[in-house]
């Protein structure tokens, strides 16, 4: 696979070299079949230059009068292409296809841009996922650290998460303060990104340098005495403003909502652009994010014979321990080069390296019976102390015509190498004692704990894909999308001495085919079929074939949908069916595929200004998640653990016309009942939370902006189980974990933009 990976990278480099030679020609005549058709105004408006989101050329800026006042960077009612609330975005980046209009893309996509993120006061990925009714977070490392997923399918550590289109680690904390947009594609995306779980795709897009000088200072405070200071600075300097910068600095620290709990996080990130020419830009990015939490409630584990009790008050001391928590340090650096040959052809190539160091000193509460008794223990983990990911991408995009038929072409490659480092030494399991969920106990801290020491490489996983795609527009009514990736997968496992204990190589094809019909210009209907590889699971500890890696799974998805745009409002509907092989160790204790997970569902969405000054961002997902053909009557045709049949969210904002700049908001989130275990012996009841908020923006002298925000989350102080999931993505039967949701919280913040 290493040679295949090298071939993939060389393919991208060779593509760029070939295109660089063609630059002087100004076009690619060997691919253009007939003379190019004139571009419509709509096509021109969606064309992006190598400069990224910049809306004017350098020559246009030079021609502007130097004494003309610039518009405010931040408007009282928001900005960008998503409307005053950030509820109505127009486009998204779909892997190698680059930015596309949401209306004309046959995929279910949710976009949250800068306006949306800032107005919500979001500081973590779960803060944003609750607004997407098909999304959930498997809180394997706690509520802030887990595997994001859509449509009830478990996500992968690396394959389902991206930063600027390149793979990153999902199971570490994500620094939202440096993110411009979050784009979430629901379902199966292997044709665009390579082998991955059908859990969807989560693409974080980093903030880029601003054309005019931008400086924003934000201070915040929460009811739990947590203080926050965030600085966001951007601009362009040098000759002809060719060098751009965007710096984000963050410090947040204080006591959490449980006595003796605390949160401490800090971020330093930089994004830099160098415009070599009007058609070529080099992007360089680097960041370091530290995230530390201690004393918050731990997870509750239970077997199939135990019924999970109703969720208690998470603020009670003893569900977590003051010495128990996580320390996460994530270092990321990389870069991209973008080049435009002409208005129809462009190239993008990049590489990213990320190291995620993870130290979990977390206790576990294991339920012992149905009376609420549990045992608290600490098992210092030897696994996954460090993840290292090296990812790459290289894509050539172009537009050609064959007669009256328009083709939007892509040829590219993407892939990654993911190394997992485990600890050589750790302390044995420490059992503190037993308690009852109605009477938790705070235990003394252990002495002489060994966990963070020397590491060894436990495994290396690589995949590289070659992608080719064509979006064909036949006429104003009919179009089609044909995208496929050929995938190479390589896995190697090592022991503590560095010797290879097992290897695995596989390859295969992952296609997506979609047909679109537009009965009118503002409505798109589509039918799409996807078939994708996913890396096979590894047999868990204790199974007879422990450590064996299975052949890649092949998942399938069929989806039909409707998208409509009514001026300031977007409406969406999708019906889908996803199938994924399910592996577990059965009665013979051999880990193998012996079942199928089948999720069928309906998704509804409504986004934008539905009435004058009244905006909504709402959606509903109805899901039937099932395990089938397991060979075990007790687990066959049962509901998947922790996946709700119904999930809905409605976010509303109202702009007070008599007091410009004043906005009130309310958010209602509903999660229905979920299966508590894989034999479905009981269901965990659903929950509803209500958030209220207000913000006020005012224009200061010299067009500076001041914004004040207040949020009251879970204002009814609902007690609920936030995340429930089976013991392992590898199909460990009869082991489950649940994490509590956060209590009522009030946050205030003030920002000044100058």
């Amino acid at each position: 696979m290493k040679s295949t990976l090298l071939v993939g990278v060389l393919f991208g480099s060779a593509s760029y070299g070939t295109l660089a030679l063609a630059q002087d020609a100004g076009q690619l005549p060997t691919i253009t079949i007939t003379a190019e058709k004139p571009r419509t105004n709509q096509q021109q408006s969606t064309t992006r230059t190598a400069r990224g989101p910049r809306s004017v050329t350098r020559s246009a800026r030079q021609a502007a009068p130097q004494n003309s006042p610039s518009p405010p960077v931040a408007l009282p009612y928001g900005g960008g292409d998503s409307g005053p609330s950030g509820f109505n975005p127009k486009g998204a980046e779909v892997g190698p296809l680059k930015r596309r209009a949401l209306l004309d893309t046959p995929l279910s996509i949710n976009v949250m841009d800068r306006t949306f993120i800032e107005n919500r006061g979001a500081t973590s990925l779960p803060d944003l996922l609750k607004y997407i009714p098909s999304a959930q977070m498997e809180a394997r490392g706690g509520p802030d650290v887990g595997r994001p997923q859509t449509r009830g399918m478990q996500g992968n550590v690396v394959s389902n998460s991206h930063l600027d289109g390149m793979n990153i680690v999902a199971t570490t904390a994500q620094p939202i303060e440096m993110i411009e947009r979050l784009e979430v594609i629901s379902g199966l995306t292997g044709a665009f990104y390579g082998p991955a779980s059908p859990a969807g795709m989560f693409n974080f897009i980093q903030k880029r340098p601003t054309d005019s000088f931008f400086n924003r200072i934000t201070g915040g405070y929460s009811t739990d005495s947590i203080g926050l200071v965030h600085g966001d600075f951007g601009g362009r300097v040098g000759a002809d403003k060719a060098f751009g910068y965007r710096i984000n600095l963050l410090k947040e620290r204080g006591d959490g909502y449980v006595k003796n709990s605390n949160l401490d996080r800090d971020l330093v990130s930089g994004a830099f652009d160098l415009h070599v020419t009007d058609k070529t830009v080099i992007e360089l990015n680097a960041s370091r994010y530290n995230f530390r939490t201690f004393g918050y409630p731990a997870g509750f584990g239970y077997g199939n014979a135990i019924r999970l009790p109703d969720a208690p008050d998470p603020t009670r001391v003893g569900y977590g321990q003051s010495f128990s928590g996580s320390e996460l340090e994530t270092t990321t650096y990389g870069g991209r080069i973008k080049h435009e040959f002409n208005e129809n052809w462009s190239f993008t190539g990049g590489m990213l390296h990320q190291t995620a160091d993870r130290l979990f000193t977390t206790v576990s509460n294991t339920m012992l019976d149905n009376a609420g008794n549990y045992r608290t223990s600490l098992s210092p983990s030897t696994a996954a102390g460090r993840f290292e990911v090296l990812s790459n991408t290289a894509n050539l995009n172009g537009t050609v015509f064959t007669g009256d038929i328009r083709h939007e072409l892509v040829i590219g490659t993407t892939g990654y190498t993911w190394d997992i480092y485990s600890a050589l030494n750790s302390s044995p399991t420490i059992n503190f004692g037993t308690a009852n969920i109605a009477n938790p106990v705070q235990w003394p801290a252990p002495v002489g704990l060994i966990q963070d020491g020397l590491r060894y490489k436990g495994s290396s996983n690589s995949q590289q894909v070659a992608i080719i795609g064509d979006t064909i527009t036949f006429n104003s009514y009919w179009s089609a999308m044909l995208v496929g990736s050929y995938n190479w997968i390589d896995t190697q496992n090592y022991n503590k001495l560095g010797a290879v204990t097992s290897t695995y190589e596989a390859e295969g094809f992952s296609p997506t085919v979609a047909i679109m019909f537009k009965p009118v210009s503002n409505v798109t209907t589509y039918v799409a079929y996807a078939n994708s590889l996913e890396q096979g699971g590894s047999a868990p500890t204790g199974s007879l074939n422990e450590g064996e890696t299975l052949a890649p799974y092949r998942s399938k998805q069929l989806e039909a949908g409707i998208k409509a745009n009514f001026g300031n409002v977007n409406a969406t509907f999708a019906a889908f069916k996803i199938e994924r092989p399910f592996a577990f160790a059965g009665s013979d204790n051999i880990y193998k595929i012996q079942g199928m997970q089948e999720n069928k569902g309906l998704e509804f969405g409504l986004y934008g200004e539905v009435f004058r000054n009244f905006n909504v961002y709402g959606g509903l997902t109805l899901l039937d998640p099932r395990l089938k053909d397991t060979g075990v009557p007790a687990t066959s045709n049962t509901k998947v653990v922790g996946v709700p049949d119904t999930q809905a969210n409605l976010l509303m904002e109202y702009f007070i016309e008599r007091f410009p700049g004043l906005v009130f908001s309310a958010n209602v989130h509903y999660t229905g009942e979920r299966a508590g275990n894989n034999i479905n012996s009981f269901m965990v009841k659903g929950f509803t939370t209500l958030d209220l908020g207000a913000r006020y923006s005012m224009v200061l002298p010299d067009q500076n902006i001041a914004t004040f925000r207040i949020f009251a989350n879970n204002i009814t102080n609902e007690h609920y189980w936030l995340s429930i999931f089976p013991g392992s993505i590898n199909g460990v039967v009869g082991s489950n974990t649940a994490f509590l949701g956060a209590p009522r919280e009030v946050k205030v913040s003030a920002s000044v933009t100058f």
Side-chain angles (χ1 to χ4, degrees):
M1 176 59 196
K2 290 186 181 297
S3 60
T4 305
L5 179 63
L6 179 60
V7 168
V9 176
L10 290 177
F11 166 76
S13 301
S15 298
Y16 180 67
T18 303
L19 294 174
L21 292 175
Q23 179 179 356
D24 292 338
Q27 58 182 357
L28 300 180
T30 58
I31 300 179
T32 304
I33 298 174
T34 63
E36 297 175 355
K37 300 293 183 182
R39 297 173 63 87
T40 65
N41 291 335
Q42 182 179 6
Q43 291 168 349
Q44 291 175 349
S45 66
T46 58
T47 300
R48 297 185 68 191
T49 70
R51 305 168 187 273
R54 301 173 71 186
S55 59
V56 294
T57 64
R58 185 176 300 132
S59 59
R61 291 199 310 274
Q62 290 173 332
Q66 296 299 311
N67 57 357
S68 297
S70 300
V73 175
L75 300 176
Y77 292 148
D81 73 346
S82 58
S85 292
F87 290 0
N88 194 8
K90 304 298 187 296
E93 297 181 14
V94 183
L97 305 186
K98 301 182 69 175
R99 190 172 178 86
R100 297 219 158 193
L102 293 176
L103 180 65
D104 299 326
T105 303
L107 300 167
S108 180
I109 305 176
N110 285 86
V111 177
M112 299 174 181
D113 71 356
R114 169 186 55 82
T115 304
F116 187 102
I117 294 171
E118 292 177 353
N119 287 343
R120 306 276 64 79
T123 61
S124 68
L125 179 57
D127 287 347
L128 296 175
L129 292 185
K130 70 178 180 181
Y131 301 108
I132 304 176
S134 67
Q136 290 179 301
M137 173 73 90
E138 277 200 356
R140 293 187 175 271
D144 295 298
V145 182
R147 302 181 182 189
Q149 64 182 40
T150 65
R151 295 179 173 176
M153 291 288 182
Q154 292 181 332
N156 183 271
V157 175
V158 172
S159 298
N160 297 91
S161 296
H162 291 76
L163 176 62
D164 292 331
M166 292 175 282
N167 294 86
I168 58 172
V169 176
T171 52
T172 188
Q174 308 296 340
I176 299 301
E177 284 81 4
M178 66 178 240
I179 300 303
E180 178 80 12
R181 294 162 67 89
L182 171 64
E183 299 179 344
V184 179
I185 304 176
S186 298
L188 205 56
T189 59
F192 308 98
Y193 293 94
S197 162
M201 197 57 57
F202 299 81
N203 187 27
F204 301 88
I205 298 176
Q206 189 166 344
K207 292 177 179 177
R208 302 300 328 153
T210 53
D211 280 342
S212 56
F213 286 111
F214 172 87
N215 302 283
R216 174 177 293 164
I217 303 294
T218 300
Y221 184 82
S222 74
T223 50
D224 305 311
S225 71
I226 296 177
L228 175 149
V229 177
H230 174 214
D232 187 357
F233 313 100
R236 299 190 183 276
V237 296
D240 205 21
K241 305 292 185 182
F243 180 78
Y245 64 91
R246 189 72 176 268
I247 306 293
N248 275 267
L249 305 173
L250 168 75
K251 183 63 179 181
E252 184 177 26
R253 186 175 183 178
D255 297 332
Y257 60 76
V258 183
K259 183 179 180 181
N260 297 323
S261 67
N262 59 83
L263 168 69
D264 188 359
R265 65 190 188 101
D266 51 80
L267 167 70
V268 177
S269 86
F272 308 96
D273 291 355
L274 177 61
H275 291 268
V276 181
T277 70
D278 280 345
K279 296 182 178 295
T280 305
V281 61
I282 297 174
E283 299 178 355
L284 298 175
N285 310 302
S287 66
R288 171 166 287 193
Y289 185 47
N290 293 297
F291 180 90
R292 294 171 290 275
T293 57
F294 283 86
Y296 288 86
F300 286 80
Y302 60 97
N304 280 351
I306 305 297
R307 182 185 181 92
L308 187 67
D310 289 344
D313 182 352
T315 65
R316 295 193 64 178
V317 175
Y319 297 134
Q321 305 296 318
S322 60
F323 56 83
S324 171
S326 59
E327 299 180 59
L328 310 173
E329 182 178 275
T330 306
T331 304
T332 309
Y333 57 87
R336 293 190 297 180
I337 182 170
K338 299 179 180 179
H339 179 75
E340 293 182 351
F341 298 94
N342 51 46
E343 65 177 2
N344 289 316
W345 288 94
S346 64
F347 170 83
T348 301
M351 297 192 74
L352 178 147
H353 182 274
Q354 184 175 78
T355 300
D357 286 326
R358 316 184 320 154
L359 176 59
F360 293 105
T361 314
T362 52
V363 299
S364 298
N365 299 320
T366 303
M367 303 300 301
L368 302 175
D369 53 38
N370 289 328
N373 295 308
Y374 66 89
R375 179 180 63 251
T376 300
S377 61
L378 173 62
S379 298
S381 175
T382 61
R386 168 176 288 178
F387 290 145
E388 286 193 5
V389 176
L390 177 63
S391 54
N392 64 84
T393 184
N395 302 301
L396 168 65
N397 299 83
T399 301
V400 299
F401 288 84
T402 54
D404 292 328
I405 299 175
R406 185 171 187 257
H407 300 264
E408 295 174 81
L409 304 174
V410 61
I411 302 173
T413 183
T414 188
Y416 65 83
T417 298
W418 167 33
D419 295 332
I420 303 174
Y421 292 84
S422 302
L424 280 169
N425 304 294
S426 68
S427 299
T429 298
I430 301 171
N431 291 312
F432 295 99
T434 60
N436 189 276
I437 201 164
N439 188 27
V441 175
Q442 181 75 49
W443 301 99
V447 178
L449 189 66
I450 300 174
Q451 182 178 18
D452 189 25
L454 299 176
R455 298 187 179 99
Y456 73 97
K457 183 189 289 188
S459 66
S460 180
N461 306 275
S462 300
Q463 66 181 44
Q464 193 72 34
V465 304
I467 301 170
I468 185 169
D470 187 4
T471 301
I472 310 168
T473 302
F474 299 100
N475 50 47
S476 60
Y477 296 101
W478 291 96
S479 59
M481 176 183 286
L482 309 173
V483 182
S485 66
Y486 196 82
N487 321 134
W488 293 271
I489 300 172
D490 182 6
T491 298
Q492 292 185 320
N493 296 309
Y494 306 89
N495 61 22
K496 293 183 178 181
L497 299 178
V500 177
T501 57
S502 62
T503 63
Y504 185 81
E505 293 186 7
E507 57 186 76
F509 184 64
S510 299
T512 290
V513 178
I515 301 295
M516 292 164 280
F517 174 67
K518 295 175 71 69
V520 291
S521 61
N522 64 325
V523 176
T524 299
T525 64
Y526 66 91
V527 177
Y529 171 78
N531 186 314
S532 178
L533 287 182
E534 173 189 352
Q535 291 193 25
S538 296
T541 302
S543 58
L544 292 180
N545 57 337
E546 179 179 331
E548 178 184 348
T549 300
L550 303 185
Y553 307 150
R554 185 166 287 280
S555 302
K556 301 177 182 179
Q557 175 178 282
L558 182 63
E559 179 175 339
I562 302 173
K563 297 183 177 184
N565 175 260
F566 305 102
N568 295 326
V569 178
N570 282 335
T572 63
F573 166 77
F576 60 88
K577 176 182 176 181
I578 307 175
E579 295 180 340
R580 173 185 181 269
F582 194 81
F584 61 93
S587 58
D588 58 2
N589 201 28
I590 298 176
Y591 178 72
K592 58 187 176 182
I593 294 176
Q594 42 193 341
M596 183 73 68
Q597 181 176 353
E598 180 185 276
N599 290 5
K600 296 183 292 185
L602 303 174
E603 294 173 345
F604 305 85
L606 185 67
Y607 316 99
E609 188 179 24
V610 293
F611 303 109
R612 179 179 174 85
N613 297 323
F614 183 73
N615 294 265
V616 301
Y617 191 95
L620 167 69
T621 295
L622 305 175
L623 193 62
D624 182 22
R626 296 280 177 175
L627 288 181
K628 296 189 173 183
D629 303 323
T630 64
V632 180
T635 60
S636 190
N637 200 35
T638 57
K639 293 184 178 181
V640 178
V641 177
V643 179
D645 290 345
T646 305
Q647 189 162 288
N649 198 89
L650 178 60
L651 172 61
M652 300 164 284
E653 283 198 345
Y654 183 68
F655 293 77
I656 309 301
E657 194 165 2
R658 292 186 60 185
F659 300 95
L662 180 61
V663 184
F664 290 104
S665 65
N667 184 74
V668 181
H669 178 89
Y670 172 74
T671 292
E673 66 176 16
R674 295 155 287 175
N677 55 33
N678 65 320
I679 62 174
N680 291 183
S681 61
F682 73 96
M683 304 296 289
V684 179
K685 69 178 183 180
F687 64 90
T688 302
T689 59
L690 172 63
D691 306 333
L692 299 178
R695 68 178 182 272
Y696 177 68
S697 296
M698 58 185 297
V699 179
L700 302 176
D702 297 326
Q703 296 185 328
N704 298 324
I705 304 292
T707 302
F708 306 91
R709 295 182 175 91
I710 182 169
F711 306 96
N713 297 325
N714 189 11
I715 195 169
T716 61
N717 204 27
E718 177 86 356
H719 300 162
Y720 60 97
W721 294 109
L722 173 68
S723 179
I724 303 169
F725 52 90
S728 172
I729 195 173
N730 294 328
V732 175
V733 176
S735 173
N736 311 285
T737 303
F739 277 92
L740 292 168
R744 177 171 50 239
E745 181 182 38
V746 177
K747 294 182 178 181
V748 295
S749 69
S751 300
V752 177
T753 303
F754 56 95

